[in-house]
Amino acid sequence: MTLRLYDTAARAVRDFVPLEEGKAGIYVCGLTVQSEPHVGHVRSAVNFDVLRRWLLASGYDVTFIRNITDIDDKILAKAAEQGRPWYNLAYVMKRELDKAYDDLHVLPPTYEPAATGHVPEMLELISLLIDRGHAYAAEDGSGDVYFDVQSWPSYGELTRQKVDDMEAAEDADPRGKRDPRDFALWKGRKDSEPETASWPSPWGRGRPGWHIECSAMAGKYLGAAFDIHGGGVDLRFPHHENEQAQSRAAGHPFASYWMHNAWITTSGEKMSKSLGNSLLVPNVLERVRGIELRYYMVAAHYRSHVEFSFEALEEAASGFQRIEGFLERVGPGAAGTLPDAFVAAMDDDLGTPAAVGVIHDVVRLGNKALAEGDHESAARHAGEVRAMLGVLGLDPADDHWATGGTNDLTAVVDALVQGLLEQRAEARAHKDFATADQIRDRIKAAGVTIEDTPSGPKWSV
C-alpha cells in the first residue's frame, strides 16, 4: 500500500512521492529554548518521531533535521529578567529539552542545528534576497532588513490568505518598513541588548529574524528542495508562510509536503507558557512512566487536538499496562511481522488510533490463545505486538525502556530489586518461608509490585 500523508499546503491527503527514490528528507521546526518543555512541546517531537520510524520501517533512508532556536527576543527578555547571560539560559533549557526527548524515547535527529551556529548561511540568504529584489535594508538607520511581501505575488499561498487581509507583522519596529506586513530578516542591535547577542553584517551588528533561521538551516542540510517540512499547527502562520516565501523568492523549491501536528489543550486553550497552564514533562512523569506518556500521545492522531487531563492520561497508562501484561505472560521473544491492518492504518496518514486498535485486537487474540493453552499462537501474536509497538517507539523490551533511558535510575533500582528477589528465591528453595515473606514485604513496602511469570518474577512501581 502507498503511504499517504495530509499536506497542509494542498489541504488534502496525497501519495508520498519522495524527490529521490528510497530516500526522505525531513525538516522539523524545533523549540525556542527559553524555558522548560511542557507536554505540548514534546507532542510535536513524538508525532514526527513516529513519522520517521514509519518511513524507516517502510524501507526509506531518512535524513531528519530538527533545529534549535537559541537566540530570540523571548530568550533575551527572560534571561534579563533572571539576571543571567542569554546563552546560559538557552544552554540550560536545551539540556532540559534533551532530557524530555530522551524520557519519551524520541530518536536523536540526523543533525540538530542551532541558529547561533548558522549566521553566515543566513547572511548569505538575506543578501541573495536583496539582490533579487525581495528584501531591503531599512532607511531609518536601525540596521534592520525586511522581506518585501509585495514583491512576491505568491505570498500567502501556504495558508491561502491575501496580503490585503493580513495584519501587520509584529517582529520588529514598523518605522523602517515599506509595508507593515513586511517581516524582519535581520534585526539591528539595540543599545539595551547585550553585545554578545549580535553578529557583524553588511548592515551593522545585529541578529537574525526567526523565519530566516529555518530557511537557511534547512537549505544547508537538506538542499534547495526536500520532501517534508513539519511543525506545530501554530507555526503555519506566520512562521512557515514566511519560510516558504523567502525560500522560494530566493529560487529554492523548498518543501514538497507540509505537515502540522495539532495542539494539546487545557480547558480548551493551547497549552503554552504565556497562559500559565503548561505541564512540565518532569512533573507529569511523577504520575506516569515515559513509555505511558508516549503511548497517550501516540494513541491520538497527530492532526487531532488533545484535551489533556490526568484522568485520560492514567486511563491510557492502564491500557498500555494491559499490553505489557500480555507480553510478560507470554515471556521473552523476538519481534514478528506487522499485521496488514496495522500497515494499512499507518499508511493512511499515520493513522495511529486505528494502529493502536490493531495492537489491542492482537492482544485479545493472544490472551485467548493463552487461556486455551495454545502457547505457540500466543507467542506469534506477542511477536506481532512487539513489532507494532517497535514502530511506535513503545516496545517495552527496547533497550531504551528496559534500562529506563539514559537519564533515570531504573537500571540501578532493577539491580537492587533483582538482588532481593534472588535472596527470596534462595529462602524459598530452603523452605525458609518466613524469610521469603519478610523479603516480599520489604519489597512491597517500598512500593514495588512483584508478579510471578513463566519467565521469572517481574517487578513494577
Side-chain angles (χ1 to χ4, degrees):
M1 183 174 179
T2 301
L3 172 62
R4 304 173 73 232
L5 300 171
Y6 185 86
D7 181 1
T8 306
R11 296 188 182 181
V13 177
R14 299 169 53 203
D15 289 350
F16 177 60
V17 182
L19 294 174
E20 186 175 351
E21 186 176 356
K23 294 187 177 182
I26 304 174
Y27 185 91
V28 174
C29 284
L31 295 181
T32 299
V33 283
Q34 62 178 3
S35 60
E36 296 88 347
H38 57 61
V39 294
H41 289 140
V42 180
R43 183 191 184 186
S44 180
V46 170
N47 287 156
F48 285 102
D49 185 59
V50 170
L51 169 64
R52 179 188 186 184
R53 288 172 184 267
W54 183 237
L55 287 170
L56 289 169
S58 301
Y60 288 92
D61 178 10
V62 181
T63 300
F64 189 91
I65 307 298
R66 185 185 63 226
N67 78 293
I68 286 294
T69 296
D70 57 348
I71 183 67
D72 165 91
D73 291 345
K74 295 176 181 178
I75 291 175
L76 294 179
K78 192 171 289 287
E81 290 174 5
Q82 298 178 8
R84 65 199 294 190
W86 63 272
Y87 48 82
N88 172 261
L89 173 64
Y91 175 72
V92 172
M93 292 302 103
K94 170 63 167 58
R95 294 189 65 181
E96 291 292 325
L97 179 60
D98 288 343
K99 184 180 186 305
Y101 286 157
D102 184 75
D103 285 339
L104 273 78
H105 198 6
V106 174
L107 297 173
T110 306
Y111 188 65
E112 190 172 32
T116 54
H118 297 79
V119 173
E121 290 83 359
M122 299 172 202
L123 294 175
E124 183 178 354
L125 182 54
I126 294 170
S127 296
L128 176 59
L129 288 167
I130 292 175
D131 292 343
R132 293 173 69 99
H134 297 298
Y136 60 91
E139 297 179 358
D140 60 357
S142 62
D144 294 343
V145 180
Y146 296 101
F147 182 85
D148 183 354
V149 298
Q150 296 287 0
S151 74
W152 186 245
S154 298
Y155 186 71
E157 64 181 346
L158 178 64
T159 50
R160 300 190 181 186
Q161 298 184 79
K162 295 180 180 179
V163 173
D164 292 341
D165 296 333
M166 298 179 185
E167 297 182 357
E170 299 178 352
D171 60 351
D173 192 324
R175 289 176 298 179
K177 297 182 179 183
R178 296 174 183 171
D179 185 299
R181 288 151 298 202
D182 293 347
F183 57 88
L185 302 174
W186 187 259
K187 298 184 177 185
R189 179 180 174 270
K190 299 178 176 63
D191 292 339
S192 60
E193 296 175 349
E195 182 79 12
T196 55
S198 65
W199 289 259
S201 82
W203 317 284
R205 292 193 68 85
R207 54 189 171 86
W210 178 30
H211 316 300
I212 200 69
E213 296 175 354
C214 288
S215 287
M217 289 185 284
K220 176 164 185 173
Y221 296 102
L222 294 174
F226 57 95
D227 296 301
I228 298 172
H229 195 315
V233 68
D234 52 318
L235 298 181
R236 289 178 61 239
F237 188 87
H239 186 48
H240 288 169
E241 186 72 70
N242 292 350
E243 272 191 73
Q244 177 168 282
Q246 66 198 9
S247 298
R248 293 187 174 175
H252 304 159
F254 211 51
S256 298
Y257 297 78
W258 288 87
M259 295 179 64
H260 295 92
N261 66 277
W263 296 336
I264 290 182
T265 58
T266 52
S267 301
E269 296 183 88
K270 173 193 170 188
M271 186 176 292
S272 66
K273 295 178 286 291
S274 60
L275 287 175
N277 60 3
S278 59
L279 290 166
L280 302 183
V281 173
N283 295 344
V284 175
L285 294 182
E286 292 178 359
R287 303 277 292 266
V288 297
R289 296 173 296 156
I291 196 170
E292 293 166 343
L293 178 56
R294 182 179 174 106
Y295 173 80
Y296 172 70
M297 293 180 178
V298 167
H301 194 271
Y302 76 92
R303 289 193 288 115
S304 298
H305 289 297
V306 174
E307 176 66 17
F308 182 88
S309 72
F310 278 109
E311 291 78 12
L313 176 59
E314 289 165 357
E315 182 179 342
S318 296
F320 184 74
Q321 289 164 17
R322 288 193 290 272
I323 298 173
E324 283 184 304
F326 163 65
L327 294 176
E328 289 173 355
R329 285 190 292 276
V330 174
T337 58
L338 294 170
D340 291 342
F342 179 88
V343 173
M346 294 298 292
D347 275 344
D348 186 13
D349 193 28
L350 302 182
T352 55
V356 169
V358 175
I359 293 174
H360 283 284
D361 288 343
V362 176
V363 167
R364 280 191 286 272
L365 292 173
N367 280 326
K368 183 174 182 292
L370 280 177
E372 296 172 350
D374 186 353
H375 292 283
E376 183 177 345
S377 294
R380 185 181 69 255
H381 291 314
E384 292 174 336
V385 169
R386 280 201 55 202
M388 292 186 283
L389 291 175
V391 166
L392 302 177
L394 291 167
D395 182 3
D398 186 307
D399 287 344
H400 183 93
W401 298 120
T403 60
T406 60
N407 292 314
D408 68 20
L409 297 176
T410 304
V412 176
V413 176
D414 182 63
L416 295 174
V417 173
Q418 292 296 341
L420 289 172
L421 290 176
E422 290 173 4
Q423 293 176 28
R424 176 173 174 252
E426 185 177 353
R428 294 178 69 180
H430 289 86
K431 301 189 184 301
D432 185 358
F433 298 112
T435 299
D437 289 344
Q438 289 175 359
I439 295 172
R440 180 201 60 202
D441 292 342
R442 285 174 59 193
I443 295 174
K444 184 177 179 180
V448 176
T449 299
I450 302 298
E451 180 183 3
D452 291 317
T453 73
S455 58
K458 303 288 185 181
W459 68 269
S460 61
V461 177

